[in-house]
Amino acid sequence: GAKCLGKVTLTPEAFMEKGCNMEFPMEEVEPNIKAYLGLKIKVFGQQQYPDDTSPEFEVTVEKGEGATQYGLDVDRQDLKHIQIVNVADGAFKRYNEQVKPPLQV
């Protein structure tokens, strides 16, 4: 049989008024996996899907007093781009705990 990759629980508040066009975090996924389900929903009479969340956003994070780590493990790939490989204890983890998944680093 097919293996369940995870689940998403939607509440009507997430889409009933304006529809939605966003990613929802999946629950009950394999250990060390972050998975999301992207959904586009139009409500009755709506001609277009709502605008989606921009793939780019700016974040300002401060380490805080006495902190020595931002908590990012990065891969510098080509000296032009970096890829965040892991968010560990530090300023970015605290930031991620305060925002919804589409705005997390």
Side-chain angles (χ1 to χ4, degrees):
K3 182 178 179 183
C4 178
L5 300 176
K7 73 176 188 176
V8 171
T9 304
L10 290 178
T11 59
E13 296 83 31
F15 62 88
M16 285 300 289
E17 237 180 82
K18 300 177 184 175
C20 81
N21 185 356
M22 62 183 288
E23 292 183 341
F24 293 90
M26 295 182 76
E27 301 169 349
E28 298 180 21
V29 296
E30 295 288 323
N32 301 317
I33 300 291
K34 277 193 165 187
Y36 299 88
L37 176 66
L39 291 177
K40 288 184 175 185
I41 299 173
K42 291 191 279 186
V43 294
F44 182 75
Q46 197 172 16
Q47 299 296 316
Q48 301 281 330
Y49 291 108
D51 292 335
D52 62 345
T53 305
S54 173
E56 294 183 15
F57 57 95
E58 187 173 315
V59 174
T60 302
V61 175
E62 294 182 15
K63 284 191 280 189
E65 192 172 321
T68 59
Q69 302 276 331
Y70 281 104
L72 289 181
D73 297 333
V74 298
D75 178 355
R76 290 185 177 88
Q77 296 181 13
D78 59 7
L79 301 177
K80 187 175 181 183
H81 303 93
I82 64 169
Q83 178 179 7
I84 298 171
V85 179
N86 183 46
V87 179
D89 287 336
F92 280 93
K93 184 173 183 181
R94 287 191 301 277
Y95 166 82
N96 282 350
E97 290 168 349
Q98 298 173 10
V99 298
K100 294 184 179 196
L103 297 177
Q104 291 178 350
V105 176

